Amino acid sequence: MTELINFLNTQQIEYTENESMASHTTFKIGGAARLVTEPKTEDEIALIVKKCRELGVRYMAIGNGSNLLVDDGGIDACVILLGRNFSDVRLIDDTTIYAEAGAQLIKVCKTALENGLTGLEFAYGIPGSCGGAAFMNAGAYGGEMKDVLYRCDHIMPDGEKGKLEGDDLNLSYRHSAYYENGCIITGVYLKLKKGDRAEIKAKMDDLLGRRKDKQPLEYPSAGSTFKRPDGYFAGALIEECSLKGASVGGAQVSTKHAGFVINKGGATCKDVLDLCKMVSDTVYKNKGVKLEMEIRVTK
């Protein structure tokens, strides 16, 4: 790690040591990362990846951290933060938006609205970045990234630039090819359709209103905690098991929406995991349905 830090200094790549990951996740939970880097370009990401591989240093990329639960002991790795330096959004033709991986979905949705483009309304209010949304094929209210995403640019594990398009993205429910290929998404291309601005805005406002009414947005969380089981809704199963409001330490099953585990104050990673296990065990015992966590846990 010392050699990596010396390298970052010579390349003038920004970094911090032992930085709390609680400030980089929407759960507001997690210990310190040994090293957090903030590259400004794809070339800098490539340099970091190549050097980490050369030195045998583990690395991982994160965006808004909206689907991430970090271990209380932190991350013994080099975290590549794709945020403010990778937030550009632009129209590249009449119906195509290019967004860097760190761009917030809400910013991309507003760009679509400004240009009278429809197809991305479902994402308005999802608190994630474009890279993370593509990685997990994020979706809501009957829509998903699969409907509009047609290409991702990335940095490969060998530090070279690459891309995936169409079927090669392997998009399915909360999954993409990026779960297996080890590449770091740097930009996404979204193909939308021309629409009526007033109708687009009305739909966005409606979905945002539904989120505010039904989801515990006032508390830190990572969104929907469990994946949707075939033929069921996780939140409904949890509620039917009388688990609304159940808590372990600072973690609680939301009283507003049982599909959300929230940080009601001072929750640890262990609190969340213990609560999720209790919930999944109870649902399986009473309903015979196995719940799988949607949240990614890392340490």
Side-chain angles (χ1 to χ4, degrees):
M1 194 66 79
T2 300
E3 289 185 54
L4 178 58
I5 290 171
N6 290 336
F7 175 77
L8 295 174
N9 284 327
T10 62
Q11 298 296 322
Q12 297 184 320
I13 297 174
E14 294 181 15
Y15 69 90
T16 54
E17 296 183 68
N18 301 313
E19 182 168 347
S20 171
M21 290 303 294
S23 60
H24 294 298
T25 65
T26 57
F27 237 140
K28 304 302 179 188
I29 291 172
R34 178 64 184 85
L35 197 65
V36 175
T37 62
E38 293 195 64
K40 295 184 175 68
T41 65
E42 285 186 320
D43 288 338
E44 288 190 351
I45 296 174
L47 286 172
I48 294 169
V49 169
K50 287 178 180 177
K51 196 63 178 179
C52 283
R53 285 175 61 84
E54 176 189 324
L55 297 172
V57 173
R58 176 174 162 241
Y59 65 88
M60 61 178 294
I62 70 167
N64 196 48
S66 59
N67 195 48
L68 190 65
L69 178 61
V70 176
D71 188 82
D72 300 319
I75 303 174
D76 186 19
C78 171
V79 172
I80 301 172
L81 187 61
L82 303 181
R84 58 184 179 176
N85 295 334
F86 276 82
S87 59
D88 184 43
V89 178
R90 61 181 183 270
L91 200 66
I92 59 175
D93 64 35
D94 287 348
T95 57
T96 305
I97 291 177
Y98 168 78
E100 290 184 315
Q104 298 296 300
L105 280 173
I106 194 166
K107 179 179 179 181
V108 184
C109 290
K110 287 180 177 179
T111 300
L113 173 61
E114 290 166 4
N115 291 278
L117 297 176
T118 184
L120 199 59
E121 291 90 334
F122 73 89
Y124 192 59
I126 294 178
S129 61
C130 286
F135 181 92
M136 67 172 293
N137 186 29
Y141 298 109
E144 56 185 349
M145 291 298 287
K146 182 180 180 180
D147 302 330
V148 295
L149 178 66
Y150 77 90
R151 170 178 162 179
C152 287
D153 291 341
H154 59 240
I155 300 296
M156 295 185 286
D158 62 3
E160 297 301 314
K161 296 177 183 179
K163 65 180 180 179
L164 285 180
E165 295 185 68
D167 292 342
D168 289 338
L169 289 165
N170 195 21
L171 298 169
S172 59
Y173 179 67
R174 302 299 178 265
H175 179 270
S176 75
Y178 290 97
Y179 270 80
E180 291 87 30
N181 66 18
C183 298
I184 296 174
I185 298 172
T186 56
V188 304
Y189 297 77
L190 309 174
K191 179 61 72 174
L192 305 174
K193 296 178 181 178
K194 285 290 186 180
D196 180 83
R197 288 188 188 181
E199 291 180 5
I200 296 167
K201 186 177 187 306
K203 186 172 183 180
M204 287 168 60
D205 288 345
D206 174 58
L207 294 182
L208 186 60
R210 289 197 226 174
R211 283 191 168 92
K212 289 179 178 178
D213 287 342
K214 297 180 180 180
Q215 299 178 8
L217 304 181
E218 64 273 27
Y219 290 99
S221 77
S224 296
T225 305
F226 298 97
K227 292 181 180 180
R228 185 179 66 244
D230 287 342
Y232 300 91
F233 290 99
L237 291 171
I238 295 167
E239 186 168 357
E240 288 167 11
C241 291
S242 302
L243 289 169
K244 261 190 172 182
S247 63
V248 172
Q252 181 185 58
V253 176
S254 170
T255 56
K256 195 173 186 180
H257 190 312
F260 286 65
V261 168
I262 61 170
N263 177 359
K264 67 177 181 180
T268 64
C269 176
K270 186 177 186 302
D271 289 342
V272 173
L273 293 179
D274 286 350
L275 179 58
C276 287
K277 184 178 187 306
M278 182 186 79
V279 168
S280 59
D281 287 350
T282 302
V283 169
Y284 185 66
K285 178 181 178 181
N286 293 324
K287 298 291 184 177
V289 179
K290 290 186 177 180
L291 294 181
E292 181 183 351
M293 285 183 66
E294 183 173 309
I295 300 167
R296 296 174 63 213
V297 183
T298 190
K299 60 182 178 179

